[in-house]
Amino acid sequence: MIKYPNGKQMNFQSESKKSKNKDTIYKNRGMDFENDINISLEYFDGAGLAIITKRPTPINVVRVDYTHGAKIIDAYFEKQSTTDYNGVYRGKYIDFEAKNTKSKTSLPLHNITPHQISHLEKVIKYGGIAFFVISLESIDKVYLLDASYVISFYKSKERASIPVSEIIENGIEIKQGYMPRYQILEAIDEAYFHEENN
């Protein structure tokens, strides 16, 4: 136990205690994935390369407790959200959904809703770029998969999931590093601007 000048105490766990928290850490990997995307997008914005942000889910606040600051007690979603992220890159509207799977074999489709499919279809119809960023936790790799492919797979109703092998074969691997964490723009360039880059 260490006491800091500000009065806070820190308890550093031994390696054995840390290993007990492995399940908790694993459960939070989905949130870590989204956080890493957010940090990567902030980096691109700061570097003047692109503006892509997380789309907030609209909520209607019913009741707030002001006894200890403002704390929302009761609220509900005003409408179903569309996709996770949108913005502009190289003069094109960008729209994508982030998904992660712990499965070694597939990405379940039940996490993708009909209104998300409908939204992505409209983005493509009006000339925007739409895709999924998929984290395959079992192999620690992240892929960009074009929304058209996912939409086609979703509508065929042949399977309840997309095999990992299909994601790897038809997607573009997003390189991982330190800053930015995910090289999403490189993957977008490869998928949608490769002719302009040649």
Side-chain angles (χ1 to χ4, degrees):
M1 185 80 69
I2 296 176
K3 290 184 180 179
Y4 286 93
N6 63 5
K8 288 188 177 178
Q9 296 181 344
M10 292 295 293
N11 189 6
F12 293 94
Q13 297 176 340
S14 67
E15 288 303 313
S16 60
K17 284 183 180 176
K18 283 181 184 176
S19 64
K20 288 177 185 174
N21 290 335
K22 208 172 186 179
D23 290 339
T24 306
I25 291 166
Y26 196 74
K27 286 174 188 171
N28 289 334
R29 287 184 72 182
M31 291 304 293
D32 291 343
F33 169 54
E34 196 171 275
N35 189 50
D36 285 344
I37 291 175
N38 296 342
I39 291 168
S40 300
L41 297 177
E42 286 172 15
Y43 172 86
F44 298 137
D45 183 21
L49 299 171
I51 176 68
I52 304 170
T53 56
K54 179 148 177 56
R55 181 184 275 121
T57 303
I59 62 165
N60 192 350
V61 177
V62 178
R63 213 158 36 107
V64 179
D65 177 9
Y66 292 101
T67 55
H68 296 89
K71 181 180 178 184
I72 297 171
I73 302 294
D74 191 11
Y76 63 88
F77 295 115
E78 287 183 357
K79 59 182 178 178
Q80 292 178 313
S81 62
T82 49
T83 51
D84 290 329
Y85 297 90
N86 69 333
V88 179
Y89 174 56
R90 293 179 68 165
K92 278 285 203 176
Y93 176 74
I94 305 289
D95 203 302
F96 71 91
E97 176 72 10
K99 296 290 182 195
N100 69 308
T101 180
K102 295 174 185 175
S103 170
K104 294 179 181 179
T105 57
S106 64
L107 171 72
L109 290 173
H110 64 79
N111 289 334
I112 302 170
T113 60
H115 70 274
Q116 287 176 324
I117 293 295
S118 174
H119 173 77
L120 291 167
E121 283 180 312
K122 288 177 185 174
V123 170
I124 294 166
K125 177 183 175 182
Y126 297 123
I129 292 173
F131 55 89
F132 284 77
V133 172
I134 302 168
S135 170
L136 305 176
E137 290 187 13
S138 62
I139 57 172
D140 193 27
K141 289 188 182 290
V142 178
Y143 284 85
L144 179 153
L145 189 61
D146 186 69
S148 297
Y149 181 84
V150 178
I151 291 165
S152 172
F153 211 96
Y154 186 92
K155 288 190 159 187
S156 73
K157 300 190 185 301
E158 289 177 14
R159 291 183 53 127
S161 60
I162 302 176
V164 163
S165 58
E166 296 264 346
I167 295 169
I168 293 169
E169 184 180 340
N170 296 285
I172 293 171
E173 185 177 352
I174 296 173
K175 294 174 189 168
Q176 300 182 52
Y178 173 64
M179 194 55 73
R181 177 73 179 91
Y182 297 129
Q183 287 285 359
I184 296 170
L185 298 188
E186 276 188 18
I188 294 173
D189 285 343
E190 187 178 339
Y192 303 102
F193 295 101
H194 57 277
E195 290 178 4
E196 294 177 27
N197 294 334
N198 293 336

